[in-house]
Amino acid sequence: MPTSAASFPTSHSTTPYWRNEVKPIDEHRSTEGIPSYADLVIIGAGYAGAAIAHHLLERHSSHHDQSLPSIVILEAREACSGATGRNGGHLKPDPFSRAANVLKTHGKAVAEHVASFEARQVQEVRAFVDYEEIDCDFEEVTVRDVCLYPAGRDKIEADLVALNEADISTARSLEYSSDREAEEISGVKGAKSCLTFNAARLWPYRLVSHMLEKAVSRGINLQTHTPVTSVRPTGEGSDVGLWAVNTSRGSIECSTVIYATNAYTSALVPELKDKIVPVRGTVARLLPATDAPLLNDSYMMRFSEFEYDYMISRPDGSIIVGGAKRDFYDELNEWYDVCDDSRLMKGATQYFDGYMQRHFSGWENCDVLTDQIWTGIMGYSNDGFPYVGPVNGKPGQYICAGFTGHGMPQIFLSAKAIAEMVITGVPAAEVDLPLPYHTSPERWSRQGIHGSLQQWQAVSERAATRARL
C-alpha cells in the first residue's frame, strides 16, 4: 500500500504559461542573509503565504495601537512557483456537491457555511483587486459545469434536491439543464447535464506577486531560494516557546510559525503524513485559430467520478485546460505521492491535441494548437478539506494547507482566519472558518486510507471486474 513520503520541492520545474514572464519579486531577497530572529515565520510564498501576509498587514493597519511584528517569508524556489503559479486560473466555488456532502455529515448550518465561504471568495478577491488596482486579468464569468455520464447527472440532481430542501443559499442561483437542453446551453457534445453559476478567472501569479510586493514594501522580509529543512524547538530554559526554523542558509528563531506549504507539508509536519499527500496534475494552454468560435464562459467537464477537466478562456483568445486524468490515472505512481514537477506526465502530452474539436460543437474543423503543457504539485487532504488552524501539540505553530486542487476559492478567507487566530489567539471556532477545515485533535489523529487512494482502488477494482467478464 503506497504511503506518503516526506518530500520537498524539486530544484527545477516545467514552466507554466503564467510564469513565462516573471516579476522582480520572483527571486527577491530582502536582506543578504536571513535574520537570526523574527516574531513570525511564514513558510511558503504562494497564494496561501502571500494572503496570510496580506491579512496580517491589514489586521495591524486597523489596530493602530499594535506594532507590526517582524515577519519573514521563506520560499524554497521562486515566488509563486508552486501550485498557485501552475493552476488553471479558475476561481470557481463549488456551490452544490461539497455542500450536499457536508449536509449529510454535518447538517444544514455547516453545509451553509462551507458553501457560502467558497462563494464569498469571488467578491472578496474582486473587492481586493479593484481597491488595489491589481493588473491580474480578474473577471467574473459564467461557469458551465457539464456532466457527461448518467450516474453523475443523477447524483447532481439528487444533490440539488437536498440543497433546495435545506435552503442552502448557493443553490438558489444555480441554473440546471439536462440532456438536449444541456448540450445546447453548454455547447458540449454529449452533455447529460449542465449547471450554470457565477465564478471568476484571473492571472494567479500576478495576484500573488502583487501581495508579496506590498508585503515587502511594508517591511516583511522575503527570502526566495531558501528551502526550509526542519522546524524544531530551540531548547530549554529561556528559549522555551521558541522554534528554530532551519534552512539551507541558516536558522531563524521565532515564536510563531505558519506552514503555507500545501503539498510539501508532511516534510516539515510528519504528523500529517498520509493526510496531506502531494498529487501531480497537468495543465495546457491551447491557441485556437482566429476563425474559431468565441468562447466566453468557463467550464468544468465531468467525464466520470474520477475524471474531470477545468477550462477558462483568456482575454487573448487562448484557452487554459487542466486535467487529462484519462491518460494517466491508471498509473498511480505517475500522480499520487509525487513531488516532481520537472517533467510531463506519461500519456498526457497528447491529450490536449484535438480537445476542443472532440468536445465542443462548432469546433470540429478549427485549428487549435497545443502551445504549452506543464505540471504542478497539489496538496490533497485525506478528507478533501484543507487543514487551517493550530498545529496540534506545538504551541505557536499554525497551518494553512491541503487544498486538494481547489485552493483558489478557499485560500483568501482561510488566510484571513489564520491571521485572526495568530494575532488575537482566539480558537478556530471564533473566526470565520468552516468546521470541516478545523485542525481538531480528532481530525488530526484520524487514521485510514487517503480518500484519493480509496477512490483509485475502487476504480481499479471495477475495471478489473469488467475485464474478467
Side-chain angles (χ1 to χ4, degrees):
M1 185 70 63
T3 58
S4 175
S7 301
F8 294 93
T10 56
S11 57
H12 301 286
S13 57
T14 54
T15 301
Y17 166 71
W18 311 115
R19 291 181 49 82
N20 284 343
E21 296 181 9
V22 298
K23 294 180 174 291
I25 199 72
D26 203 58
E27 302 196 58
H28 180 83
R29 287 180 176 175
S30 299
T31 53
E32 183 176 350
I34 63 173
S36 60
Y37 177 84
D39 294 313
L40 190 155
V41 172
I42 299 170
I43 305 174
Y47 191 12
I52 290 167
H54 163 74
H55 287 298
L56 288 170
L57 291 171
E58 290 296 295
R59 181 66 168 73
H60 279 280
S61 295
S62 62
H63 292 74
H64 302 290
D65 58 331
Q66 297 179 358
S67 60
L68 182 69
S70 56
I71 301 173
V72 177
I73 303 175
L74 301 175
E75 170 56 47
R77 301 190 299 200
E78 303 84 4
C80 197
S81 59
T84 308
R86 301 170 176 279
N87 67 26
H90 211 185
L91 202 174
K92 187 195 78 65
D94 179 352
F96 60 99
S97 63
R98 183 175 293 243
N101 292 336
V102 174
L103 184 63
K104 298 172 186 174
T105 57
H106 291 78
K108 176 180 176 179
V110 178
E112 174 61 35
H113 196 184
V114 166
S116 62
F117 187 78
E118 289 196 19
R120 282 185 283 125
Q121 313 254 352
V122 174
Q123 298 307 318
E124 291 278 350
V125 174
R126 180 178 193 118
F128 172 55
V129 168
D130 289 347
Y131 182 78
E132 299 273 340
E133 297 182 342
I134 305 172
D135 178 18
C136 65
D137 293 344
F138 184 96
E139 183 181 3
E140 289 193 51
V141 295
T142 296
V143 173
R144 309 292 184 186
D145 195 312
V146 180
C147 185
L148 292 107
Y149 66 109
R153 174 199 58 202
D154 296 345
K155 183 181 185 305
I156 289 170
E157 290 179 349
D159 287 346
L160 290 176
V161 170
L163 292 176
N164 282 308
E165 288 179 348
D167 196 27
I168 302 300
S169 61
T170 55
R172 299 172 198 154
S173 59
L174 292 171
E175 297 180 10
Y176 177 77
S177 58
S178 60
D179 301 322
R180 183 175 295 277
E181 184 183 9
E183 281 192 291
E184 293 173 354
I185 289 174
S186 67
V188 176
K189 293 180 278 189
K192 302 301 181 186
S193 69
C194 176
L195 276 171
T196 301
F197 53 93
N198 183 64
R201 60 191 176 202
L202 71 160
W203 193 306
Y205 174 81
R206 290 183 177 177
L207 174 67
V208 172
S209 294
H210 176 91
M211 287 193 283
L212 293 173
E213 289 166 354
K214 180 180 178 181
V216 168
S217 72
R218 295 277 297 277
I220 290 179
N221 188 319
L222 170 64
Q223 296 287 330
T224 62
H225 294 288
T226 307
V228 174
T229 56
S230 66
V231 179
R232 304 188 186 283
T234 57
E236 300 178 355
S238 61
D239 288 339
V240 169
L242 293 180
W243 298 100
V245 180
N246 303 308
T247 81
S248 60
R249 299 172 56 224
S251 297
I252 305 176
E253 286 191 356
C254 62
S255 56
T256 304
V257 180
I258 303 176
Y259 299 97
T261 42
N262 209 31
Y264 309 103
T265 299
S266 68
L268 301 175
V269 188
E271 300 93 326
L272 291 177
K273 178 183 178 181
D274 298 323
K275 291 183 173 63
I276 299 179
V277 173
V279 168
R280 181 164 56 180
T282 189
V283 186
R285 179 180 185 241
L286 309 182
L287 285 178
T290 55
D291 60 345
L294 183 64
L295 190 71
N296 288 321
D297 301 332
S298 295
Y299 283 83
M300 281 291 292
M301 306 279 281
R302 302 180 186 273
F303 300 103
S304 72
E305 63 179 310
F306 71 89
E307 184 190 356
Y308 45 86
D309 295 341
Y310 49 88
M311 182 174 68
I312 68 167
S313 58
R314 296 273 304 126
D316 63 2
S318 65
I319 297 169
I320 307 294
V321 184
K325 283 187 176 181
R326 181 197 71 186
D327 290 351
F328 63 79
Y329 188 75
D330 287 349
E331 299 293 330
L332 187 66
N333 292 333
E334 272 295 291
W335 59 273
Y336 184 81
D337 194 18
V338 175
C339 282
D340 182 7
D341 56 9
S342 67
R343 67 174 180 83
L344 299 179
M345 310 272 261
K346 293 180 181 177
T349 55
Q350 304 303 316
Y351 177 82
F352 301 101
D353 292 340
Y355 186 89
M356 300 303 295
Q357 298 93 320
R358 288 197 303 272
H359 298 302
F360 285 83
S361 298
W363 288 76
E364 291 83 357
N365 299 314
C366 295
D367 290 327
V368 183
L369 170 68
T370 303
D371 175 65
Q372 196 169 348
I373 305 177
W374 60 93
T375 55
I377 309 301
M378 301 167 283
Y380 270 47
S381 75
N382 54 333
D383 58 9
F385 290 101
Y387 283 74
V388 182
V391 173
N392 275 242
K394 297 181 179 179
Q397 293 195 17
Y398 295 82
I399 184 172
C400 188
F403 289 96
T404 314
H406 193 57
M408 293 304 292
Q410 298 184 92
I411 287 175
F412 195 72
L413 291 181
S414 293
K416 186 176 183 179
I418 283 286
E420 193 70 17
M421 284 186 266
V422 167
I423 291 172
T424 66
V426 300
E430 296 183 23
V431 301
D432 178 16
L433 186 72
L435 181 62
Y437 293 31
H438 293 192
T439 57
S440 64
E442 184 278 329
R443 185 181 181 219
W444 196 267
S445 60
R446 187 182 303 154
Q447 301 298 312
I449 300 175
H450 192 282
S452 296
L453 192 55
Q454 282 184 313
Q455 184 183 61
W456 178 83
Q457 290 174 330
V459 170
S460 298
E461 288 170 3
R462 286 198 294 271
T465 299
R466 288 195 298 269
R468 289 194 297 267
L469 295 177

